[in-house]
């Protein structure tokens, strides 16, 4: 499960943080084409954004978010040199994180 | 399976849903909160709003803007960007006709909350509400998005 992050200067000031997580985001309503059985729900639930280790935002997702979710927020308080990290957890307890420096 | 049982139980119990909503959502103290299960599992808009905010009262506002396609060719990926000039502590994206209408919620700390973008699935043409909470009041902007090919259920 790869997760990528992009940080760029925000149009309204601060920095925009964009996170792309590779994840199937199964709703639990889809049927497997071969077996006809429901594919169990499997989706990212929380995505926590931190700046220098301090949490600044938490995105809560449901199964209604597209596969390979792309989530973006703007952090006004971030400065050049800050470390931004994002940590997500899904409904099966799997998780991944990504870290980057504000350039 | 235990978890599923719990989900059903919590959906049935409005009291629990309200309690969870009230407990989780103190302004600016939303960090490291657990996943707001009641709001993000509710099967209708009012129940989701009640669980998330404890109220369904809101004002339509032009201080909230939605950047999204008027017509989505592919309902599996509909990019939604919410921007607001209000000091928001929560931004919610709600697709009215989805099986689970409350698609995503951002709990924002200080210095965050002006922008939230996420790509959502839409089963059919539906109004999409973006609800922003600022100073304990709810502000809403709605846009109808036409979907030609659905994204739920495959």
């Amino acid at each position: 499960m790869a997760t990528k992050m992009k940080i760029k200067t925000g149009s309204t000031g601060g920095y925009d943080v964009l996170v792309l997580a590779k994840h199937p985001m199964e709703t639990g309503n889809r049927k497997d084409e071969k077996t006809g059985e429901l594919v169990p729900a499997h989706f990212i639930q929380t995505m926590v954004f931190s700046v220098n280790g301090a949490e600044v935002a938490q995105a809560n997702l449901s199964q209604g978010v597209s596969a390979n979710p792309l989530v973006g927020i703007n952090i006004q308080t971030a400065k050049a040199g800050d470390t931004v990290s994002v940590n997500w957890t899904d409904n099966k307890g799997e998780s991944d994180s990504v870290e980057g420096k504000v350039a | 399976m235990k978890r599923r049982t719990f989900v059903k139980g919590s959906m049935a119990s409005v009291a629990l849903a309200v309690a969870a909503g009230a407990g989780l959502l103190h302004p600016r103290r939303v960090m490291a909160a657990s996943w707001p299960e009641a709001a993000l599992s509710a099967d209708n808009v009012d129940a989701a709003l009640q669980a998330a905010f404890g109220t369904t009262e809101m004002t339509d506002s032009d201080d909230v803007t939605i950047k999204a396609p008027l017509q989505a060719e592919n309902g599996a990926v509909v990019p939604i960007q919410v921007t607001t000039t209000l000091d928001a502590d929560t931004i919610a994206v709600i697709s009215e006709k989805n099986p689970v209408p409350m698609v995503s919620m951002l709990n924002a700390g200080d210095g965050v909350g002006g922008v939230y973008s996420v790509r959502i699935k839409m089963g059919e043409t539906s109004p999409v509400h973006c609800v922003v909470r600022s100073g304990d009041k709810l502000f809403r902007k709605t846009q109808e998005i036409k979907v030609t090919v659905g994204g739920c259920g495959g």
Side-chain angles (χ1 to χ4, degrees):
Chain A
M1 303 251 175
T3 307
K4 286 180 193 163
M5 178 167 64
K6 216 178 217 180
I7 304 172
K8 55 181 187 181
T9 316
S11 53
T12 52
Y15 288 88
D16 288 340
V17 177
L18 269 174
V19 181
L20 179 66
K22 205 166 155 54
H23 201 282
M25 299 300 279
E26 285 292 350
T27 60
N29 297 328
R30 192 174 69 87
K31 279 188 178 148
D32 189 299
E33 280 175 20
K34 283 180 194 145
T35 62
E37 283 171 22
L38 285 177
V39 179
H42 186 202
F43 56 96
I44 296 180
Q45 294 187 318
T46 57
M47 214 179 243
V48 177
F49 295 78
S50 310
V51 175
N52 297 332
E55 288 167 13
V56 294
Q58 175 176 325
N60 298 302
L61 314 186
S62 75
Q63 57 270 59
V65 173
S66 303
N68 302 327
L70 178 67
V71 174
I73 64 165
N74 174 272
I75 305 176
Q76 292 283 330
T77 46
K79 305 177 297 289
D82 283 353
T83 304
V84 177
S85 58
V86 176
N87 195 325
W88 61 252
T89 311
D90 69 20
N91 65 328
K92 291 185 178 174
E94 291 166 15
S95 65
D96 193 18
S97 60
V98 62
E99 198 175 273
K101 267 204 180 326
V102 179
Chain B
M1 287 327 268
K2 271 185 188 158
R3 209 188 138 264
R4 294 316 303 169
T5 320
F6 175 72
V7 170
K8 282 190 190 127
S10 68
M11 265 156 53
S13 162
V14 177
L16 181 59
V18 171
L24 284 174
L25 289 156
H26 289 295
R28 296 301 192 208
R29 290 190 56 219
V30 290
M31 298 306 109
S34 58
W35 189 62
E37 182 150 0
L40 291 170
S41 311
D43 62 1
N44 67 74
V45 176
D46 283 352
L49 287 170
Q50 196 63 246
F53 301 112
T55 176
T56 55
E57 268 178 51
M58 53 183 77
T59 339
D60 287 310
S61 168
D62 284 333
D63 294 326
V64 182
T65 46
I66 303 177
K67 202 171 126 191
L70 290 170
Q71 184 162 24
E73 292 114 47
N74 180 0
V77 183
V78 185
I80 309 278
Q81 186 179 49
V82 190
T83 350
T84 178
T85 50
L86 301 165
D87 181 27
D89 62 54
T90 310
I91 300 177
V93 178
I94 302 166
S95 172
E96 202 172 293
K97 290 189 184 160
N98 273 21
V100 179
M102 180 75 85
V103 178
S104 182
M105 278 170 71
L106 177 76
N107 294 347
D110 291 321
V112 187
V115 184
Y116 183 45
S117 59
V118 65
R119 300 191 300 197
I120 70 169
K121 287 181 238 183
M122 291 180 67
E124 55 183 310
T125 299
S126 160
V128 171
H129 306 288
C130 292
V131 177
V132 166
R133 182 169 70 176
S134 175
D136 281 339
K137 286 205 176 75
L138 300 183
F139 301 91
R140 175 179 66 179
K141 182 84 177 180
T142 302
Q143 181 179 323
E144 174 98 0
I145 298 180
K146 282 201 172 108
V147 176
T148 42
V149 182
C152 291

